[in-house]
């Protein structure tokens, strides 16, 4: 059963009898439904009545409704208001623009705006390269989407994608001190997307492509990298790949294996799977077999494949393995899943080699139950925050862009991605690594600094 989550925190405004027993019964009733009570606060007292704010984590909307119904059944309890904390967090959006230099008088106005601003405009006109230093370009990234591949929801459009893009902007600021802004485009045409991004590029120091469906995301990224003079990064591809490699570097230390010796099964051959395969190969992996809905990808059968899937088929699977994902697990050392939930049962993993590593990263439901997988694998990681070893892109993109903006690097090469991975992995010392601690936590403040430092070091070497 799915556990209660902060994603479904309910805030209840209740009227109850003014007694300790009545308040205690609220908690008992809520707990009995499976909710996790996180706060009970008396907001007002009026004679024999109390006004109480109760907050609790629930599993989903159905569970929330069940909780409200049970509380209403208690004698003397009146539910005055039901609030959803997640929705309340989004009212009016999650980001805002603030000025760095307050305007208190005419002197301030003359410097920040007219007439002084004209001097700066003229300086940039005469020396265009100065725009990076004299405008927000120095520290600003556009988070660009068309809303065609959002989280586990797919093509929901640009407006519905905005909460995700806003959240991304918050993470950029929180973890990398990078100013980011959502740019949601009402078009699915790759040529239009490319044209629009090129047109807005003068205002930004980098482009973060987000939640754009494959295979067009590959072509959009490639064209923009070629035609722009600022870094372009597709987080769904390369962010996922960076963190996956970082986790694998440390997981292999646990089991005493080398990346060039292990057999890797890759479930999911879209944008993330493609990037993961390429980055692992650049780091030394020699035996990767990718699996799509129809089974193993192989150079022996590439009919009807787009060029990106065809590349994967032709450059992986050296043993020309065929068959299903379950069949492919036999003799494998590593399973990496970026596909869909519940593809495997835990017992399917018992055919893997001793010291098996399982990264089941589908969200919100992993490819295999992580708890059950631990019976057969030495190391288990997921994309979820409620299990150990969360493989989370937030470990990569804030520090990566911090380093890119600091150095002025425009080419995000495979070697740069590898440097970012090793930066993340290095945060955990060898004597700290354990089966439940192969990757730093999302709130580990050392991570962004380590990635940015790795990027700066790479820039110096280049």
């Amino acid at each position: 059963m799915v556990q209660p989550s902060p994603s479904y925190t309910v805030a209840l405004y209740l009227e109850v009898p003014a007694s300790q027993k009545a308040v205690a019964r609220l908690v008992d009733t809520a707990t009995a439904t499976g909710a996790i009570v996180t706060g009970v606060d008396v907001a007002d007292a009026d004679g024999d009545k109390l006004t109480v704010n109760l907050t609790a984590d629930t599993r989903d909307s159905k569970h929330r409704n069940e909780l409200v119904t049970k509380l209403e059944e208690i004698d003397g309890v009146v539910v005055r208001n039901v609030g959803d904390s997640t929705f309340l967090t989004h009212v009016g959006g999650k980001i805002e623009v603030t000025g760095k230099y307050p305007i208190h008088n005419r002197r301030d106005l003359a410097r920040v705006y007219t007439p002084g601003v004209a001097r700066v405009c003229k300086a940039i006109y005469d020396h265009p390269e100065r725009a990076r230093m004299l405008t927000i370009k120095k520290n600003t990234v556009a988070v660009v989407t068309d809303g065609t591949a959002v989280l586990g929801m797919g093509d929901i459009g640009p407006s519905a994608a905005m909460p995700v893009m806003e959240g991304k902007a918050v993470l950029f600021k929180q973890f990398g001190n990078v100013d980011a802004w959502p740019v949601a485009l009402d078009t699915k045409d790759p040529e239009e997307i490319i044209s629009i991004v090129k047109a807005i590029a003068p205002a930004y120091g980098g482009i973060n492509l987000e939640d754009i469906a494959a295979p067009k995301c590959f072509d959009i990224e490639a064209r923009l990298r070629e035609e722009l003079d600022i870094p372009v990064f597709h987080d769904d591809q390369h962010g996922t790949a960076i963190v996956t490699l970082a986790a694998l570097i440390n997981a292999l230390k646990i089991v005493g294996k080398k990346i060039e010796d292990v057999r890797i099964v890759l479930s999911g051959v879209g944008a993330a799977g493609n990037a993961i395969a390429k980055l692992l190969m650049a780091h030394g992996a020699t035996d990767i077999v990718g699996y799509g809905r129809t089974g193993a990808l192989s150079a022996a059968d590439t009919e009807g494949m787009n060029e990106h899937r065809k590349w994967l088929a032709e450059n992986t699977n050296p043993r020309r393995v065929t068959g299903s994902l379950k069949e492919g697990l036999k003799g494998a050392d590593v399973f990496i899943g970026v596909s869909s939930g519940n593809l495997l049962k835990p017992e399917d993993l018992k055919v893997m080699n001793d010291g098996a590593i399982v990264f089941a990263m589908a969200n919100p439901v992993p490819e295999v139950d992580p708890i059950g997988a631990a019976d057969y694998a030495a190391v288990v990681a997921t994309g979820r925050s409620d299990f150990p070893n969360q493989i989370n892109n937030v470990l990569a993109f804030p520090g990566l862009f911090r380093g890119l903006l600091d150095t002025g690097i425009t080419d995000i090469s495979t070697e740069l991605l590898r440097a970012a991975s090793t930066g993340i992995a290095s945060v955990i010392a060898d004597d700290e690594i354990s089966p439940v601690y192969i990757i730093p936590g999302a709130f580990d403040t050392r991570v962004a600094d380590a990635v940015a430092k790795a990027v700066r070091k790479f820039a110096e070497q280049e």
Side-chain angles (χ1 to χ4, degrees):
M1 180 183 289
V2 176
Q3 296 300 307
S5 161
S7 297
Y8 285 94
T9 298
V10 60
L12 300 169
Y13 191 65
L14 309 168
E15 184 180 287
V16 302
S19 72
Q20 185 173 336
K21 183 177 180 180
V23 176
R25 191 174 178 190
L26 289 178
V27 177
D28 289 343
T29 302
T31 303
T33 70
I36 298 175
V37 176
T38 57
V40 180
D41 300 293
V42 175
D44 190 26
D46 184 13
D48 59 352
K49 295 289 184 181
L50 296 176
T51 301
V52 174
N53 291 324
L54 184 147
T55 55
D57 293 346
T58 61
R59 293 185 295 272
D60 49 32
S61 297
K62 182 179 179 181
H63 184 200
R64 179 188 61 204
N65 293 339
E66 176 191 347
L67 169 61
V68 172
T69 298
K70 291 295 183 181
L71 292 175
E72 288 177 327
E73 291 174 355
I74 301 174
D75 288 341
V77 171
V78 179
V79 178
R80 294 295 186 190
N81 188 61
V82 179
D84 186 308
S85 294
T86 297
F87 275 82
L88 291 172
T89 300
H90 287 76
V91 172
K94 301 190 289 285
I95 57 177
E96 64 181 2
V97 174
T98 61
K100 292 168 66 176
Y101 301 102
I103 301 173
H104 297 297
N105 50 50
R106 291 181 182 274
R107 294 174 63 85
D108 295 336
L109 181 61
R111 282 189 285 262
V112 170
Y113 194 48
T114 186
V117 73
R119 294 179 55 217
V120 184
C121 294
K122 184 64 166 56
I124 295 172
Y125 179 79
D126 292 337
H127 303 280
E129 72 279 2
R130 297 186 70 180
R132 187 169 181 273
M133 179 60 66
L134 295 173
T135 71
I136 61 170
K137 190 179 185 78
K138 181 177 175 59
N139 197 55
T140 306
V141 170
V143 183
V144 179
T145 190
D146 65 352
T148 54
V150 180
L151 295 175
M153 296 177 283
D155 185 355
I156 60 174
S159 294
M162 274 294 289
V164 178
M165 304 309 118
E166 289 182 22
K168 201 83 173 192
V170 172
L171 298 178
F172 264 112
K173 189 65 175 179
Q174 174 81 18
F175 296 107
N177 195 28
V178 172
D179 297 314
W181 195 256
V183 180
L185 305 179
D186 191 12
T187 176
K188 299 180 183 180
D189 183 345
E191 290 299 327
E192 284 194 5
I193 293 171
I194 292 167
S195 177
I196 293 169
V197 174
K198 287 173 64 177
I200 67 171
Y204 298 96
I207 303 295
N208 185 95
L209 301 174
E210 192 79 22
D211 294 345
I212 299 175
K216 67 180 179 181
C217 61
F218 299 109
D219 303 320
I220 291 170
E221 181 196 23
R223 285 273 304 280
L224 288 174
R225 283 190 174 191
E226 181 181 340
E227 298 175 24
L228 289 177
D229 62 354
I230 56 176
V232 178
F233 183 74
H234 184 203
D235 189 50
D236 302 306
Q237 288 185 67
H238 305 299
T240 305
I242 288 170
V243 186
T244 300
L245 174 56
L248 186 58
I249 288 170
N250 285 340
L252 289 170
K253 292 177 182 178
I254 293 287
V255 299
K257 299 179 182 180
K258 296 180 179 179
I259 193 168
E260 58 266 28
D261 299 330
V262 296
R263 291 183 177 181
I264 301 172
V265 168
L266 176 63
S267 175
V269 287
N274 196 288
I276 288 170
K278 289 180 177 178
L279 190 57
L280 296 188
M281 290 165 67
H283 201 69
T286 60
D287 193 331
I288 299 175
V289 182
Y291 286 83
R293 291 185 179 88
T294 58
L297 268 60
S298 171
D301 182 15
T302 60
E303 185 177 351
M305 290 184 180
N306 63 60
E307 62 177 297
H308 307 285
R309 183 170 289 206
K310 184 178 180 181
W311 185 96
L312 204 57
E314 293 177 342
N315 291 275
T316 59
N317 195 355
R319 293 175 288 114
R320 297 295 181 260
V321 172
T322 59
S324 69
L325 175 63
K326 290 182 182 180
E327 293 169 336
L329 289 173
K330 187 174 182 179
D333 299 283
V334 179
F335 169 83
I336 296 174
V338 280
S339 47
S340 55
N342 290 329
L343 292 181
L344 300 169
K345 296 179 180 178
E347 52 266 30
D348 294 331
L349 305 175
K350 64 184 177 182
V351 298
M352 296 181 70
N353 285 338
D354 290 341
I357 296 168
V358 173
F359 292 173
M361 297 187 286
N363 242 331
V365 181
E367 286 84 356
V368 61
D369 174 54
I371 297 175
D375 292 334
Y376 303 94
V379 180
V380 179
T382 71
R384 293 178 57 119
S385 61
D386 52 353
F387 291 101
N389 297 327
Q390 184 191 21
I391 296 178
N392 190 331
N393 287 19
V394 75
L395 296 173
F397 65 83
L400 181 75
F401 269 100
R402 179 71 277 147
L404 292 171
L405 293 169
D406 289 346
T407 60
I409 289 179
T410 59
D411 178 27
I412 304 178
S413 65
T414 300
E415 289 306 305
L416 176 61
L417 301 179
R418 285 182 62 200
S421 294
T422 55
I424 295 171
S426 70
V427 170
I428 304 177
D430 286 353
D431 60 355
E432 295 178 319
I433 297 172
S434 78
V436 293
Y437 187 45
I438 59 168
I439 196 81
F443 292 95
D444 191 325
T445 56
R446 299 172 296 172
V447 176
D449 289 341
V451 175
K453 183 178 179 180
V455 174
R456 287 193 288 267
K457 184 177 180 180
F458 178 85
E460 292 169 1
Q461 293 171 344
E462 287 294 294

